[in-house]
Amino acid sequence: MIAKDAIAPQIIPISPRQSSQLELSAADGDSATPIVDSEGRYLGMTSGSARPVKASTPMSLVLERMVSGDKTVPVVDDITERYIGAIDRDSALAAVSSLFPQLDEYTELTVTCKPSQYSASAIAHAVEDADAHLLNLNVTAGTEPDSHTTVMLRVNHSRGESVARSLQRYGYETVEMTGDPGMFYTDMTERVNALLHYLEI
């Protein structure tokens, strides 16, 4: 995902001559409106001094800017460097949340391994061996040679235990597992029903 995917349509730039709007925006310390010239070149913000990012900038870098304090990040075209929009915290959150669609059944697992052992394709194979599909994969820690690599996975499977067992066969240790709260109760219900059926026999 890149910067242009998170542009907020409600942020409308203004021109330097719109003095009344400039004064109104300046009076509101929480808002920052982009200022562009008549040819669409980015000039600055009504409050603060946010540097623009190019349209192809990875969203991870945009989020770092926002965590550092930028409430609005202007976006310019890669080639012409003309203003094409701006990202605020709401639009950034909406864009990132689209990467994590809501599912009725899912499991999130945190696994670790030695850096030399890490392989995204091997993890995907392990998940598929458990009849599940890999939805998200993020390396969150341990890219250094002497530290374990930590990977967060999201799979569309209600029984994370089978995915964890498959990952273990591939050499990945599952250190944490969360998911749909109802999946564990469903599994337990099935086991209880099977036991009752056996007792009736």
Side-chain angles (χ1 to χ4, degrees), residues 38-134:
S38 58
E39 297 182 2
R41 289 189 295 262
Y42 172 74
L43 300 177
M45 306 290 283
T46 56
S47 64
S49 57
R51 293 175 289 105
V53 298
K54 292 189 175 182
S56 62
T57 300
M59 271 303 294
S60 58
L61 299 180
V62 176
L63 293 174
E64 285 180 11
R65 287 267 304 268
M66 293 186 149
V67 168
S68 299
D70 288 351
K71 294 182 178 179
T72 305
V73 178
V75 183
V76 297
D77 184 80
D78 283 16
I79 300 172
T80 65
E81 296 193 355
R82 292 189 177 182
Y83 175 86
I84 60 173
I87 303 169
D88 62 11
R89 294 191 178 190
D90 288 341
S91 65
L93 183 60
V96 173
S97 66
S98 69
L99 297 175
F100 300 89
Q102 293 299 313
L103 299 173
D104 292 334
E105 297 182 345
Y106 69 91
T107 302
E108 293 176 351
L109 304 98
T110 302
V111 301
T112 62
C113 65
K114 295 179 180 179
S116 59
Q117 188 181 0
Y118 169 72
S119 168
S121 60
I123 290 174
H125 284 305
V127 172
E128 290 171 0
D129 284 352
D131 294 326
H133 296 288
L134 181 62

Side-chain angles (χ1 to χ4, degrees), residues 142-164:
T143 55
E144 298 81 9
D146 297 329
S147 62
H148 271 63
T149 299
T150 302
V151 186
M152 293 186 68
L153 311 175
R154 189 166 183 254
V155 301
N156 69 331
H157 201 294
S158 62
R159 294 187 181 94
E161 294 88 353
S162 60
V163 176

Side-chain angles (χ1 to χ4, degrees), residues 110-112 150 173-177:
T110 302
V111 301
T112 62
T150 302
E173 179 185 359
T174 300
V175 295
E176 186 176 353
M177 182 169 55

